[in-house]
Amino acid sequence: MTSPPVLHEVLAAVLSIRDGRLCVLLWQRALSPDAGRWALPGGRLAADEDVETSVRRQLAEKVDVREVAHVEQLSVFSDPHRTPGARTIATAFLGLVPSDADPELPPDTAWCEIDALPPTAFDHAEIVGSARARLRAKLSYTNLGFALAPAEFTISALREHYVAALGHPVSATNLQRVLTRRHLLEPTGEVAPSGRAGGRPAAVFRFTDRTLRVTDAFAVLRPPGAPGGRDGEPHARPGTGADAVLP
Amino acid sequence: MTSPPVLHEVLAAVLSIRDGRLCVLLWQRALSPDAGRWALPGGRLAADEDVETSVRRQLAEKVDVREVAHVEQLSVFSDPHRTPGARTIATAFLGLVPSDADPELPPDTAWCEIDALPPTAFDHAEIVGSARARLRAKLSYTNLGFALAPAEFTISALREHYVAALGHPVSATNLQRVLTRRHLLEPTGEVAPSGRAGGRPAAVFRFTDRTLRVTDAFAVLRPPGAPGGRDGEPHARPGTGADAVLP
């Protein structure tokens, strides 16, 4: 059994809704291999850092990491031939930037629409697909919308974020109903213009919590003394299995 | 920035309820470093395999992998000093074996109670803790109990599995109510002796599904045409973010 040394890199698939579309932060490679193709931010793990430290450092070269509302480990990509030359194993992370953040980007870096990616380097398109799948799954059982939405929003605006992230229609009425029932949203007390001539002003909401939690864990599985809720099915806060490493 | 080659290993934290306690599969190291201490199954990634192939191969050296009902990537452990000598990065997996499986184990391998671990090697106790946290979280929003429970069980027996895995009391009545409401359980039509003198026979159940799914994803976030349910909040089947690689 041969076990030669391998290189290790970290990669970040940072997703955000830009102009109503789900995008990923990519930079265009200037050098071979895969020169001209678009790649995820990241790079080699340094000798003195773990993967969380490394992704934070390398992401900071492309985007103000204070704008990144959530980061978690996504998966290891380890196909023996995923990169040319020395074998390189990647630990990939999912990051999310709210749509109202407008971080400065270097000239080689851009938000790229996931449904219309430019030519991508190595297996990075597969990693982007995995990041999108993780986001879609977690939107369905956590409060992760907080990391995509602006700090305050109308239900109509929030619905557009969910539609863009999920890739299918979502009813604003149902979205408001379920997010309210699960105590994920609270009204700010403000109203916003409806956006339609003659339309009524719309109530403005915010997420009640801006750290990841499972929003509908089985109440019967809560530890004794955990925060309660309504109808015997409160929103519990077990460990989520996610590792937020930023900010 | 130095980026020396690193070694890569895979490790499996295989959990199971044995004699009513949550246990992890460990083997006792015969050789230095950490000789005599107990370690997770796994080892170096070979040149021609990805991490999923590697963990399957290495786990097979310790346990019949057909008995493993679920495996998913857990996390990367990459502290620069987690092992002595050459830097080694670990991709850790969570595995689950149903309590009625009784796989043959090599002489150096045993089920060890997580709450009373023997002296462990390297950072393996931390990895076991991470595996237990992931299991507890997923029990609260998925059907993952199928991978811990026997194929058929009374509610009383199932409750004991949840109590052992979660580490706190669970009401059998509530557990049956919520699992039934979410269509996770179905009666087999059989009954089992109650276990108490003069007690009534107890109904026998099984899980309706033996692959991982999120059991209460927001109905409003389902794609159009996805399987329906009751009360406008069916059990959807989005991608779960989990990568089952076994069996």
Side-chain angles (χ1 to χ4, degrees):
Chain A
M1 190 71 57
T2 59
S3 303
V6 293
L7 302 177
H8 200 105
E9 67 180 356
V10 295
L11 295 168
V14 179
L15 308 189
S16 186
I17 311 290
R18 318 306 297 183
D19 296 328
R21 293 166 190 276
L22 185 63
C23 294
V24 59
L25 193 69
L26 297 176
W27 63 284
Q28 191 169 27
R29 294 176 60 85
L31 303 175
S32 176
D34 276 359
R37 289 183 167 259
W38 291 77
L40 296 168
R44 296 275 174 77
L45 189 67
D48 59 348
E49 60 185 9
D50 59 25
V51 291
E52 288 79 11
T53 306
S54 186
V55 76
R56 198 181 293 125
R57 170 179 65 80
Q58 303 201 63
L59 202 46
E61 296 170 5
K62 297 296 183 191
V63 67
D64 183 344
V65 295
R66 290 171 300 183
E67 306 279 23
V68 183
H70 176 74
V71 174
E72 65 181 53
Q73 272 194 32
L74 184 59
S75 192
V76 169
F77 290 80
S78 58
D79 183 285
H81 309 292
R82 59 175 292 278
T83 57
R87 180 173 188 185
T88 306
I89 293 174
T91 300
F93 288 78
L94 165 67
L96 297 173
V97 169
S99 61
D100 60 342
D102 193 17
E104 269 193 75
L105 302 179
D108 65 357
T109 303
W111 292 108
C112 299
E113 187 183 343
I114 288 183
D115 278 333
L117 287 181
T120 48
F122 315 122
D123 58 354
H124 292 197
E126 180 189 351
I127 297 173
V128 171
S130 173
R132 178 167 65 179
R134 173 73 64 89
L135 171 64
R136 288 177 172 177
K138 284 210 161 170
L139 281 177
S140 80
Y141 65 86
T142 76
N143 63 335
L144 198 50
F146 80 82
L148 289 177
E152 302 188 345
F153 43 79
T154 63
I155 294 298
S156 169
L158 184 65
R159 173 189 159 279
E160 287 173 18
H161 286 72
Y162 276 78
V163 168
L166 294 169
H168 62 72
V170 173
S171 147
T173 305
N174 286 340
L175 186 67
Q176 176 171 4
R177 180 174 55 79
V178 75
L179 294 184
T180 301
R181 185 195 297 166
R182 293 180 182 197
H183 303 286
L184 300 197
L185 296 185
E186 61 190 9
T188 65
E190 306 291 311
V191 293
S194 76
R196 285 179 295 113
R200 288 200 312 171
V204 174
F205 292 83
R206 63 182 160 235
F207 277 93
T208 52
D209 204 341
R210 297 186 67 83
T211 55
L212 182 67
R213 58 187 172 86
V214 174
T215 54
D216 197 55
F218 300 174
V220 297
L221 303 183
R222 280 184 307 137
R230 70 283 173 270
D231 299 340
E233 295 223 18
H235 47 297
R237 301 188 187 210
T240 60
D243 298 306
V245 301
L246 286 173
Chain B
M1 190 71 58
T2 58
S3 302
V6 294
L7 302 177
H8 201 106
E9 66 180 356
V10 296
L11 295 168
V14 179
L15 308 189
S16 187
I17 311 290
R18 317 305 297 182
D19 295 328
R21 294 167 190 274
L22 185 63
C23 294
V24 59
L25 192 70
L26 297 176
W27 64 283
Q28 190 168 27
R29 294 175 60 84
L31 302 176
S32 174
D34 276 358
R37 290 182 166 260
W38 291 77
L40 296 168
R44 296 276 173 76
L45 189 66
D48 59 348
E49 59 186 7
D50 60 24
V51 291
E52 288 80 12
T53 306
S54 186
V55 77
R56 198 180 295 122
R57 171 179 64 80
Q58 304 201 62
L59 202 47
E61 296 170 6
K62 296 295 184 191
V63 66
D64 183 345
V65 295
R66 289 171 301 183
E67 306 279 23
V68 183
H70 176 75
V71 174
E72 65 182 53
Q73 270 195 32
L74 184 59
S75 192
V76 169
F77 289 80
S78 59
D79 183 285
H81 309 292
R82 60 174 293 277
T83 57
R87 181 173 187 183
T88 306
I89 293 173
T91 300
F93 288 78
L94 164 68
L96 297 172
V97 169
S99 61
D100 60 341
D102 192 18
E104 267 194 76
L105 303 180
D108 66 357
T109 302
W111 293 107
C112 299
E113 187 184 343
I114 288 184
D115 279 333
L117 287 181
T120 48
F122 316 121
D123 57 355
H124 292 197
E126 179 189 351
I127 297 173
V128 171
S130 173
R132 177 168 65 178
R134 173 73 64 88
L135 171 64
R136 288 178 172 177
K138 284 209 161 170
L139 282 177
S140 80
Y141 64 86
T142 75
N143 64 335
L144 197 49
F146 79 82
L148 289 177
E152 303 189 343
F153 42 79
T154 63
I155 294 297
S156 168
L158 185 65
R159 173 189 160 280
E160 288 171 18
H161 286 72
Y162 277 77
V163 168
L166 295 168
H168 61 72
V170 173
S171 146
T173 305
N174 286 340
L175 185 67
Q176 176 171 4
R177 179 175 54 80
V178 73
L179 295 183
T180 301
R181 184 195 298 167
R182 293 182 182 195
H183 303 286
L184 299 198
L185 297 185
E186 61 190 10
T188 65
E190 305 293 310
V191 292
S194 74
R196 285 179 294 115
R200 288 199 314 171
V204 173
F205 292 82
R206 61 182 160 234
F207 277 93
T208 52
D209 204 341
R210 297 186 66 83
T211 56
L212 182 66
R213 58 186 172 86
V214 174
T215 53
D216 198 54
F218 300 174
V220 298
L221 303 182
R222 279 184 308 137
R230 69 285 173 269
D231 300 339
E233 297 221 18
H235 47 296
R237 300 189 188 212
T240 59
D243 299 305
V245 300
L246 285 174

